[in-house]
Amino acid sequence: MRWPRGVDGLCFGGDYNPEQWPEETWHEDVALMREARVNLVSLGVFSWSAIEPRQGHTTFGWLDRVMDLLAENGIMAALATPTASPPPWFGLAYPDALPVWPDGTRLTHGSRDTYCPAAPAYRRAAVGIATALAQRYAGHPALAMWHVHNEYGTTCYCDHVAKAFRRWLRQRYTCLEALNEAWTTAFWSQRYGEWEEIGPPRATQYLGNPAQLLDFRRFLSGELFSCFSEQRAVLRELTPQVPVTTNFVFGDWVPVDHRRWAEDLDCVAIDHYPAVPGLPAAEHTAFHADLARSWAGGRPWLLMEQASSTVNASGRLVAKRPGEMARHTVAHVARGSRGAMFFQWRASRGGAEQHHAALVGHAGPGSRVFREAVDLGALLGRLAELDGATVEAPVAILWDAEAWWALLGPGLPSPDLDYLGALQAAHRALLRAGITADFAAPEADLRGYRLVLVPSLYLTSDQGATSVRRYVAGGGHVVVWYSSGVVDLDTRVWIGGHPGAFREVLGVRVEEFHPLLPSDSLPVVPDGASAAALGLAAAEQLTGRVWAEHVHCAGAEIVARYTAGQLAGLPAITRNEYGEGIAWYCSTGLDEADLARLIGAALARAGVTPPAGLPSPPSGVEIVLRRSGQIRWLCVLNHNDEPCSLPLAGTPFSAGSDLVTGSVVTTAAPDEAVIVPAGGIAVIRCE
Ligand code: GLA
């Protein structure tokens, strides 16, 4: 199924909330959308109270007129089911469907996402409004796709949830003894004698049970997916030709296992808001785009929301610099997105997000952002041929939401263990080296990758451990970081020495953890020839922070040793030949430049270089290679304030054309280079 239905080329548009505006504004909106070549809008995401202002009383007239207006103007709709924000009457009619915090506080209406996902009244109402929308708009020419809900992620601890959690636990464990074993309830007298004794992890006296907390997230992920799939079932029944999606939100508060959800979606859609400006925002963009592509299993996916300004975690807006919005957009498209959508089309006059960035700001279309949006619409038209081409990614980083959640649990040996930080550091090192990475599930078939990085995979299943072992035995190369392979699926420690899940393949046995204080660091000095492999001169050393370990080699060779403190003389970094492959282990948190050295050495040993014989990009320049049959595209994003020059002679791109400028590229002579302007983009096509 081609999705979204009826949209040719790449998608461009955003959340459109016409219910906030008088009807004459709608006409200006569609005229401006046409000017900017908008071809898709997410419509009605928060429109429940406009569609059903009183229980059972629907007012679709305004939405009919908007849908008709869009269709008349050739603009398609990702029509939302508005179930992320039930109207005020809902909470009054069904107080038991309002969410409850861990401390027992029941929330009241006043914001959004104020519902309990397990409450029968909410589930009925959500399916009801989705059914009414599908009945009304089945066959409407503007209907391109269903956008179910918005950013599933709501948590609740009420009695409905407790009941549903117990039901889920009974299915998972069948008998109480299995649950008691998995949750290690012998500790602190937590043994359960009846299922009814078990509840969600509500507020308690001291540290909670890590296995219970992890299972609660697993359960919520499934419960929220049931909310989604109940709506999807009626949408599919009434509109079988229309694809159904939901937009993913990413964060440690989100109890959704996106990779597992993605296996069962018509298409993956993500929202992306870097919380930092400048180059880190570009790196954040590449990270999330690669995650989305990996969740989508390499198929196209869609950036459903981004902003024309950076919105940071404390709510501060940082205006994106000229060209930055286009670079973020093309970064997503280069990494496989079927277009770029924004939150939101027109900035709201009031409401909690009235100052959030938009494509048409409060100043109206006479603005830099709108002019850039018009240019972007035209550019996306020229990049449409990229759609569906394969993204070349020779390296994988292992990704597992459950490992992340386990590392957010209580009672860890250091508060500085940071799953996401470790993954981002690994991804950044590859990005800077000009290597695109996929994120793979630990249990996936890894044979297509030349190198696999395993940062902080604290929780590792039997299957994950076996998969890595087989991959290396068959000739693969891996680098495993500290705090990987420590606990199993039930968060129980793999005993016999760390990292239990990877001991054999790494050829090491860790006797004891030595977490470091934030103010501490340890010098790490390469052994013998390793210094050259790590790009170090004779007297140079690496620096370890956050963590160290008492490592014994059990077959592995020493790459570098600690040279100070209790661990002086003991291995810090090792390398093990296992079967046909090589497994590196790093037992400490290397500084960024040192981590890049280690990854660089592993890349070199695995024979991984930037694709198509390209040079490593200059600092601040991002490259991605796409391929479809004989055609290749090199996407170059220059995030610097100065032009960059790429020597492409001798590569397939020495003769081609740039889709951005329409110019011919010839760099046949060794001293010729492609110049990408400051903050600019090139997408060079060659056959
Ligand atoms: C999310 C939501 C939008 C909006 C933006 C603001 O992505 O889906 O409704 O709140 O954040 O950044």
Side-chain angles (χ1 to χ4, degrees), residues 28 230 255 392 433 513 549 631 647 649:
E28 190 196 4
E230 281 168 15
E392 302 247 309
F513 294 151
E549 289 174 348
I631 310 176

Side-chain angles (χ1 to χ4, degrees), residues 80 91 141 145 198 200 237 249 322 377 380 430 480 521 544 590 628 647 650 653 666:
M145 181 153 75
I198 307 171
E237 192 191 323
V249 61
L380 287 173
L430 294 170
V480 178
S521 66
L590 294 177
S628 176
F653 298 97
T666 43

Side-chain angles (χ1 to χ4, degrees), residues 524-617:
V524 172
V525 173
D527 253 35
S530 298
L534 294 169
L536 294 177
E540 280 184 302
Q541 60 187 30
L542 308 163
T543 304
R545 296 184 203 277
V546 176
W547 190 262
E549 289 174 348
H550 184 162
V551 179
H552 296 274
C553 284
E557 59 179 305
I558 299 176
V559 173
R561 294 173 197 270
Y562 295 106
T563 56
Q566 275 188 68
L567 300 173
L570 296 176
I573 301 173
T574 60
R575 187 174 48 216
N576 191 37
E577 292 187 8
Y578 183 83
E580 303 294 308
I582 292 184
W584 303 68
Y585 184 56
C586 180
S587 68
T588 184
L590 294 177
D591 276 354
E592 185 156 281
D594 293 342
L595 180 66
R597 288 192 161 104
L598 175 61
I599 292 177
L603 285 169
R605 190 73 188 254
V608 184
T609 51
L614 293 164
S616 291

Side-chain angles (χ1 to χ4, degrees), residues 292-475:
R293 183 188 61 257
S294 306
W295 290 335
R299 292 168 296 145
W301 51 279
L302 181 61
L303 173 67
M304 191 63 98
E305 287 183 26
Q306 65 171 334
S308 57
S309 290
T310 297
V311 188
N312 91 2
S314 55
R316 188 185 304 278
L317 280 184
V318 181
K320 285 188 182 169
R321 304 180 64 186
E324 201 172 359
M325 185 167 93
R327 285 203 308 284
H328 288 182
T329 297
V330 176
H332 283 289
V333 168
R335 291 170 191 277
S337 176
R338 178 167 278 173
M341 310 280 290
F342 285 77
F343 179 85
Q344 59 179 332
W345 165 252
R346 186 183 279 279
S348 307
R349 286 196 71 182
E353 292 183 336
Q354 67 193 122
H355 296 298
H356 195 286
L359 290 178
V360 181
H362 293 136
S367 64
R368 174 183 71 86
V369 170
F370 186 70
R371 283 191 295 277
E372 286 194 26
V374 172
D375 292 346
L376 190 52
L379 175 60
L380 287 173
R382 299 198 292 280
L383 299 186
E385 63 180 64
L386 285 176
D387 189 32
T390 305
V391 175
E392 302 247 309
V395 176
I397 300 172
L398 294 192
W399 160 267
D400 186 32
E402 295 190 357
W404 184 15
W405 296 344
L407 211 44
L408 294 170
L412 295 166
S414 163
D416 300 322
L417 295 174
D418 176 4
Y419 181 75
L420 207 51
L423 267 88
Q424 284 170 331
H427 186 267
R428 204 160 42 234
L430 294 170
L431 180 71
R432 291 177 183 179
I435 312 288
T436 303
D438 281 343
F439 290 92
E443 60 277 8
D445 181 352
L446 302 169
R447 281 174 300 179
Y449 299 105
R450 309 280 291 279
L451 175 70
V452 171
L453 304 183
V454 189
S456 291
L457 195 72
Y458 173 69
L459 176 151
T460 306
S461 66
D462 268 325
Q463 253 187 315
T466 306
S467 148
V468 170
R469 210 165 44 236
R470 282 209 187 116
Y471 165 72
V472 180

